[in-house]
Amino acid sequence: MKKKLNKNSLNGFINYGIVIAAFIIIQIFIGKGMLSNSLQSLLVPACCYIVMAVSLNLTVGILGELSLGHAGFMSLGAFSGITASILLQNSIPMAPMRLAVSMAAGAAAGALGGVIVGVPVLRLQGDYLAIVTLAFGQIIKNIIMVLYVGVDENGFHIAASSERFDLAAGGTAIIKGPMGAVGVSKLASFTAGFVLILITLLVVQNLVNSRSGRAIMALRDNRIAAESVGINTTKYKLMAFVTSAALAGAAGALFGLNYSSTVASKFDFNTSILVLVFVVLGGLGSIRGSIIAAALLYVLPELLRSFDIAEYRMLIYAIVLILVMLATNNEQFTALMGRVGGWFKAVGGWFKAAGARVVGWLKSLGRTQSKGKGGTTNG
């Protein structure tokens, strides 16, 4: 058991190390002017999608339930965070502090949505759960597209149509129905995205390696067996689902505050599928895989722009996804990967043994020289 915990801790520290190293390298590139403006503009959204992929992996990979409405939680967080940011402009003038509070508000909105959806939906399984979560994402998008939110000297106003939305002189309209949120102060930064990724890793990895995480994985592997030993199905499923939704809400708040205007159509079904592609290609249950897949695949279109194939991004995603599925379900490919892994393990063992022999040789040489010096002194 101790060995397993140490291995999990080591994997967690490796994930932290990868994120920190990437952040330092990118900051060096920015300082030396080695990143174009277009690539720099992708840094904050890439951080948001990494958080989305890791959080969705908690539901799909760790819990084992297929969710197709993750963009709905992201949209809740985005518009809640934007609203909180505008309402707190006078109360919290410091941009970083206001951004942190707005992201917390987005996480709370996502968690609330997770509870509302999770309580009835998690009683379903398989295709039924996927269909209901898909419907939830579409419902949230359609509600926001007809929602009008503003604030004036008389307080906070919400209306479902432009005819009923009447602000006093000097009032501020925050959400304007189909136009979305406009006139937003851009508070997001790459540093904030980096911190959010670290917080997401801290939450998800600690949950997975805890007693609750083992109960969640037990439900994924065999629900009937888990229930037979007293594991509360509803409690642990809801725990994973709400945690995933809260992290998606925080990512949505950061995403929304990265642009001067945000519309609900940005968080449609395609966004949910895109995040699911990141999770599947990175490996179900693999936190590190989700980080790498989301970062590479989101930036890939910009890297491919010079080859004039960026418009085929979704086609490339689909082809790669099909190839990965065919490869992972092929027994010959799996056996080949096992042999390759065994070969690398053997090579690593050889280098380890060679290093041990070199260290032993150096120690023996040092002892010999010490004895020689000692004999000269005695003489």
Side-chain angles (χ1 to χ4, degrees):
M1 187 67 177
K2 184 177 180 181
K3 182 178 179 182
K4 182 178 180 181
L5 291 176
N6 288 338
K7 181 179 179 181
N8 292 334
S9 300
L10 177 61
N11 287 331
F13 284 121
I14 291 175
N15 294 337
Y16 291 127
I18 291 174
V19 173
I20 293 172
F23 176 75
I24 294 174
I25 292 172
I26 291 174
Q27 291 287 22
I28 293 174
F29 284 175
I30 293 175
K32 293 186 177 182
M34 299 174 64
L35 283 183
S36 63
N37 292 331
S38 59
L39 283 177
Q40 291 185 38
S41 67
L42 296 179
L43 292 178
V44 173
C47 291
C48 297
Y49 278 106
I50 289 174
V51 174
M52 288 287 290
V54 173
S55 62
L56 182 60
N57 208 345
L58 179 60
T59 299
V60 178
I62 308 301
L63 179 60
E65 299 290 354
L66 180 59
S67 174
L68 297 181
H70 210 54
F73 302 119
M74 189 180 187
S75 65
L76 283 176
F79 289 98
S80 298
I82 290 172
T83 302
S85 174
I86 295 177
L87 292 177
L88 296 173
Q89 281 183 347
N90 297 326
S91 302
I92 307 178
M94 295 179 58
M97 183 63 68
R98 192 160 77 251
L99 174 61
V101 174
S102 300
M103 291 169 62
L112 179 61
V115 172
I116 295 174
V117 176
V119 170
V121 166
L122 290 178
R123 300 176 183 274
L124 305 174
Q125 292 180 357
D127 297 339
Y128 299 103
L129 176 63
I131 293 172
V132 174
T133 53
L134 170 62
F136 162 75
Q138 295 300 110
I139 290 171
I140 291 297
K141 186 190 74 171
N142 291 331
I143 289 176
I144 294 176
M145 289 185 68
V146 299
L147 195 64
Y148 291 82
V149 178
V151 60
D152 58 14
E153 58 184 10
N154 297 321
F156 192 67
H157 299 270
I158 300 179
S161 64
S162 58
E163 290 80 8
R164 299 180 180 179
F165 187 62
D166 187 18
L167 295 177
T172 302
I174 302 174
I175 302 176
K176 297 182 179 180
M179 296 176 61
V182 295
V184 181
S185 299
K186 295 190 287 185
L187 304 177
S189 65
F190 179 48
T191 302
F194 164 71
V195 173
L196 181 58
I197 293 175
L198 291 182
I199 293 175
T200 301
L201 290 178
L202 180 66
V203 171
V204 173
Q205 291 181 161
N206 284 339
L207 176 60
V208 171
N209 295 328
S210 67
R211 180 179 179 182
S212 298
R214 291 190 290 273
I216 292 170
M217 288 185 284
L219 290 171
R220 174 196 65 189
D221 296 335
N222 194 318
R223 182 179 59 85
I224 297 176
E227 290 178 343
S228 67
V229 296
I231 294 178
N232 190 326
T233 303
T234 303
K235 172 186 174 181
Y236 289 108
K237 279 189 173 184
L238 194 61
M239 180 186 298
F241 196 74
V242 171
T243 302
S244 175
L247 294 173
L254 182 66
F255 186 88
L257 292 171
N258 188 53
Y259 302 98
S260 58
S261 63
T262 303
V263 294
S265 59
K266 287 186 177 181
F267 311 101
D268 57 4
F269 172 68
N270 290 330
T271 302
S272 296
I273 295 299
L274 180 63
V275 178
L276 183 62
V277 168
F278 295 157
V279 173
V280 174
L281 291 183
L284 295 178
S286 173
I287 304 301
R288 190 179 311 153
S290 295
I291 296 172
I292 296 173
L296 291 181
L297 293 179
Y298 185 77
V299 180
L300 183 62
E302 183 63 31
L303 297 177
L304 296 177
R305 190 177 297 277
S306 58
F307 299 98
D308 297 328
I309 58 175
E311 61 269 21
Y312 301 110
R313 180 186 62 178
M314 297 307 296
L315 177 61
I316 294 174
Y317 285 158
I319 293 174
V320 172
L321 182 61
I322 292 172
L323 292 178
V324 170
M325 292 298 99
L326 291 176
T328 53
N329 287 280
N330 189 307
E331 295 181 359
Q332 295 179 352
F333 179 82
T334 304
L336 176 61
M337 288 297 101
R339 289 195 295 270
V340 172
W343 182 79
F344 277 110
K345 186 176 181 180
V347 172
W350 183 85
F351 277 109
K352 184 177 180 180
R357 287 195 294 269
V358 171
V359 171
W361 179 76
L362 292 175
K363 288 183 178 178
S364 63
L365 181 61
R367 287 194 296 268
T368 302
Q369 291 178 353
S370 298
K371 289 180 180 179
K373 291 181 180 180
T376 302
T377 303
N378 291 335

